[in-house]
Amino acid sequence: MIDFHPVRAFLEPAHLELAEGVGGYAAAEFAGHARHDDDDVVRLYAREICASLGSGGWLKAIARQDFRACAVTRETLAFHSPLADAMFALQALGSTPIALAGDTRQRRLWLDRAVRGRAVAAFAMSEPEAGSDIAAMRSTAVRDGDGYVLNGIKTFISNAGIADFYLVFALTDPGAGAEGISAFLLPTETQGFRFVRPLLMAEPHPLGEIALEDCRLPASARVGGEGEGYRLGLATLDRLRPTVGAAACGMAGRALHEAIHHALTRRQFGRALADFQITQEKVGRMATDLTAARLLVYRAAWERDGGAERTDVEAAMAKSFATEIAQGVVDDAVQILGGRGVLADHPVDRLYRSVRALRIYEGATEIQRLIIARHLFDAARAGRDEPLG
């Protein structure tokens, strides 16, 4: 079990109960599960995980928009299975826009099914020329009678090819840049939708590319108003970025756990690795960095759950710091394990490949640091003294 005592100041009793429950579930469900390298097998398994999370009630926090609960769940799942964490995260990404701006029908048809694990969600924003620069989006949604016709290519889309619905972002007013982006609910069976190809990652993950070719959607498929898609997408990412940090902490925590147990049992030159000061220094630094990251993560989620209007800076700090230190903690764990740490079937090697993507998706580290710096400069220009923390 993960020890949530260090971050208890930001949690309610219900969150600690959740941690115990999801921890027991994850330990039983994913302990010793076989590694799947075949992309088709991974895609089937990902859908099974989603159904399992839903039937167990572990996705309900998404509909409640309880981001501390989402963080607790992601940290715990990531400790046991990065793929399980990914499926939780993707249900949250595809569903949060509906929770924020969806109408009653959209909530009933899609949000409810998503949190029950009966519909797999996907968040389709990235394009070949629009990654960090969302304003460079080229996909269009043209008004046609009482609906819209969507065209475009979306790439680096998680759950592409296995999702039941996509939250698609497209331009309804190409001349307005980011302010011309709108959001749409697109069911997979929509005529003109096409799964183009899978994109294979070092660690198995259902990633791919999709095409929209004269996809006709009714006006009721739009989530929020015309031109509100960009803000809706940013609001979704702002809320969920701390949970990416939580996942990073879960992976780092598992790596630290593996390193400690290896150091206690592995003997070199007549002594356990744990008796060498160089090992002790590494473990001490790993634990300190991990605790600092967790405090930033749960502080950001606490601010959001407490009703803060904006948490973009807190979220940026949590996401950037936690994902960066997690990479370092996992790397140090590989170093402590030595040759065992680079064997393909060892948990730490799998963590090494899984944790890297967290520094990129939902806003790369560099982008998060720009958000923080711009806030500070804007405050200084306005004559405000705003020490953060």
Side-chain angles (χ1 to χ4, degrees):
M1 291 286 188
I2 297 175
D3 181 11
F4 283 90
H5 183 79
V7 294
R8 69 195 181 282
F10 297 113
L11 302 176
E12 305 294 335
H15 297 125
L16 299 175
E17 292 176 14
L18 171 66
E20 185 174 351
V22 74
Y25 158 80
E29 186 77 9
F30 305 112
H33 70 84
R35 172 184 166 79
H36 302 290
D37 286 315
D38 182 88
D39 186 64
D40 290 335
V41 174
V42 169
R43 289 170 180 275
L44 289 173
Y45 184 44
R47 286 190 63 93
E48 291 174 6
I49 289 174
C50 187
S52 175
L53 290 171
S55 63
W58 309 118
L59 299 171
K60 290 181 179 179
I62 298 169
R64 297 197 308 269
Q65 294 287 276
D66 182 342
F67 295 102
R68 284 173 293 174
C70 289
V72 165
T73 303
R74 288 201 65 181
E75 183 176 2
T76 305
L77 290 175
F79 182 96
H80 294 279
S81 167
L83 182 58
D85 163 65
M87 294 312 296
F88 180 96
L90 298 171
Q91 290 299 93
L93 266 175
S95 300
T96 293
I98 308 172
L100 294 177
D103 59 30
T104 302
R105 179 177 176 275
Q106 291 167 345
R107 289 167 176 265
R108 185 180 68 252
L109 282 180
W110 296 110
L111 179 60
D112 183 65
R113 290 173 62 198
V115 298
R116 292 176 184 271
R118 296 175 182 172
V120 175
F123 185 86
M125 180 178 277
S126 297
E127 298 185 2
E129 301 300 324
S132 296
D133 182 12
I134 299 303
M137 183 177 294
R138 295 181 180 176
S139 294
T140 58
V142 177
R143 268 283 191 179
D144 184 45
D146 59 354
Y148 295 85
V149 177
L150 276 66
N151 283 280
I153 296 288
K154 298 290 184 180
T155 194
F156 288 105
I157 306 303
S158 291
N159 281 353
I162 68 168
D164 296 298
F165 72 94
Y166 294 77
L167 208 297
V168 174
F169 295 83
L171 290 163
T172 46
D173 183 358
E179 297 302 312
I181 296 173
S182 301
F184 297 88
L185 262 169
L186 187 145
T188 301
E189 63 270 18
T190 302
Q191 188 172 358
F193 168 83
R194 182 164 58 90
F195 173 52
V196 178
R197 59 179 177 137
L199 298 172
L200 303 182
M201 295 180 65
E203 182 64 13
H205 177 88
L207 190 72
E209 185 170 286
I210 61 172
L212 313 174
E213 299 167 346
D214 293 329
C215 290
R216 186 174 296 275
L217 293 175
S220 60
R222 194 185 67 233
V223 182
E226 276 200 7
E228 295 179 0
Y230 180 69
R231 288 190 292 275
L232 180 58
L234 291 186
T236 297
L237 295 173
D238 180 31
R239 286 160 171 77
L240 294 176
R241 278 189 181 122
T243 76
V244 181
C249 290
M251 294 183 196
R254 176 62 181 274
L256 178 58
H257 170 85
E258 296 289 339
I260 288 171
H261 283 269
H262 176 79
L264 288 169
T265 57
R266 175 66 168 167
R267 298 186 66 81
Q268 290 284 298
F269 307 105
R271 290 192 291 168
L273 282 181
D275 293 334
F276 289 91
Q277 286 186 339
I278 192 169
T279 305
Q280 295 167 7
E281 186 277 335
K282 279 186 184 297
V283 168
R285 175 165 41 81
M286 293 159 75
T288 302
D289 286 348
L290 176 55
T291 300
R294 297 180 77 200
L295 289 168
L296 280 173
V297 163
Y298 287 97
R299 188 277 295 258
W302 174 77
E303 291 278 6
R304 171 57 64 181
D305 286 346
E309 184 176 348
R310 291 188 62 180
T311 56
D312 50 342
V313 173
E314 292 87 348
M317 286 185 169
K319 200 265 185 185
S320 60
F321 186 78
T323 56
E324 291 292 329
I325 72 95
Q327 183 81 61
V329 168
V330 174
D331 188 67
D332 280 338
V334 171
Q335 201 71 11
I336 290 171
L337 270 83
R340 287 174 174 80
V342 292
L343 293 177
D345 62 348
H346 196 283
V348 170
D349 179 74
R350 294 163 65 181
L351 290 168
Y352 192 84
R353 284 174 281 146
S354 296
V355 77
R356 185 60 181 86
L358 273 59
R359 295 165 59 198
I360 300 172
Y361 76 68
E362 294 189 37
T365 295
E366 292 78 6
I367 299 298
Q368 304 312 307
R369 289 172 178 165
L370 290 179
I371 291 170
I372 298 163
R374 286 170 181 167
H375 174 87
L376 291 172
F377 285 128
D378 287 346
R381 290 188 184 104
R384 299 192 308 272
D385 183 17
E386 289 197 12
L388 295 171

